[in-house]
Amino acid sequence: MNKYVQSSFDLLSNIRFFSLSTHDPDADSVWSSTMFYIPKYNPLTLIWYSKQNTRHSRELHINPRVSGTIYSSRVTPDSSLDLAGAQFVGHARRVPDEQLQETYDYFFLKTYPDENVRKKKSRPISDYQGHATRRFYQLEIQAWWVYDSDAWSQHQDDDRVQVPLSELLYPPKG
């Protein structure tokens, strides 16, 4: 597995927040939100839930094309920056009712692997259906790039490397 694919899986496995950028053409502006997510593979998809009346949820209904980032950074003891990150584009939509149970089960199993914790912390499925204000959403990734610190340190023009989605279908075991 090459370092860009490994970096991608490290980010997807260890970072639980992403920045989602949406666009309403009529508003003539872009909106960015920070979302807690769970990844799903084959195809690479990010799953989250949100209130339907938030700006990003309303804009997804108008325009499902989105972009986003996932990153991790820290300053090391020698004051240098340790940075890993990914950028992506894709299409996001509300999870259809017929996929709600499967999505709900997957999301909360991955969020709270311990069954006792899951029972205490998971909202009931009724909080995501009918007249409830929350809904699950899924973003299917169409293109994915990772940050290449070697290119940055060598002052190359672009420090991003596109990773083929075919390389991100199955995360490594463990």
Side-chain angles (χ1 to χ4, degrees):
M1 177 180 318
N2 75 41
K3 70 179 185 175
Y4 305 117
V5 172
Q6 183 63 53
S7 177
S8 298
F9 284 126
D10 289 347
L11 286 163
L12 290 162
S13 298
N14 297 308
I15 306 300
R16 283 290 161 252
F17 290 91
F18 77 100
S19 176
L20 171 70
S21 295
T22 58
H23 178 249
D24 174 356
D26 296 330
D28 195 30
S29 68
V30 177
W31 187 251
S32 185
S33 303
T34 302
M35 312 301 293
F36 175 84
Y37 78 96
I38 295 296
K40 195 169 184 178
Y41 301 93
N42 197 11
L44 180 56
T45 305
L46 307 182
I47 300 169
W48 74 95
Y49 66 83
S50 190
K51 291 182 178 179
Q52 296 182 80
N53 64 355
T54 60
R55 180 171 172 179
H56 60 270
S57 295
R58 290 190 323 267
E59 288 184 357
L60 291 176
H61 182 71
I62 296 165
N63 180 6
R65 296 181 326 164
V66 299
S67 66
T69 59
I70 299 172
Y71 71 93
S72 170
S73 66
R74 67 183 175 96
V75 177
T76 62
D78 68 354
S79 296
S80 61
L81 183 63
D82 179 16
L83 176 67
Q87 293 175 254
F88 53 85
V89 294
H91 290 88
R93 65 183 176 101
R94 194 169 94 179
V95 171
D97 291 342
E98 61 272 8
Q99 294 175 5
L100 178 59
Q101 184 70 56
E102 176 187 345
T103 302
Y104 173 89
D105 292 344
Y106 181 83
F107 183 88
F108 285 112
L109 174 66
K110 296 296 185 180
T111 303
Y112 307 113
D114 181 277
E115 184 177 358
N116 293 322
V117 173
R118 188 167 54 251
K119 285 179 181 177
K120 289 178 189 173
K121 298 217 175 215
S122 299
R123 295 175 170 274
I125 195 167
S126 60
D127 280 5
Y128 307 95
Q129 56 192 187
H131 296 291
T133 60
R134 289 174 179 79
R135 290 294 185 267
F136 275 95
Y137 295 85
Q138 60 190 26
L139 188 166
E140 187 171 333
I141 306 295
Q142 304 294 307
W144 178 271
W145 297 264
V146 291
Y147 170 73
D148 182 358
S149 59
D150 293 335
W152 182 82
S153 66
Q154 296 169 11
H155 306 287
Q156 294 179 9
D157 289 337
D158 195 354
D159 50 1
R160 295 170 296 168
V161 174
Q162 188 166 9
V163 177
L165 293 175
S166 61
E167 298 289 320
L168 302 176
L169 294 176
Y170 303 101
K173 301 286 187 217

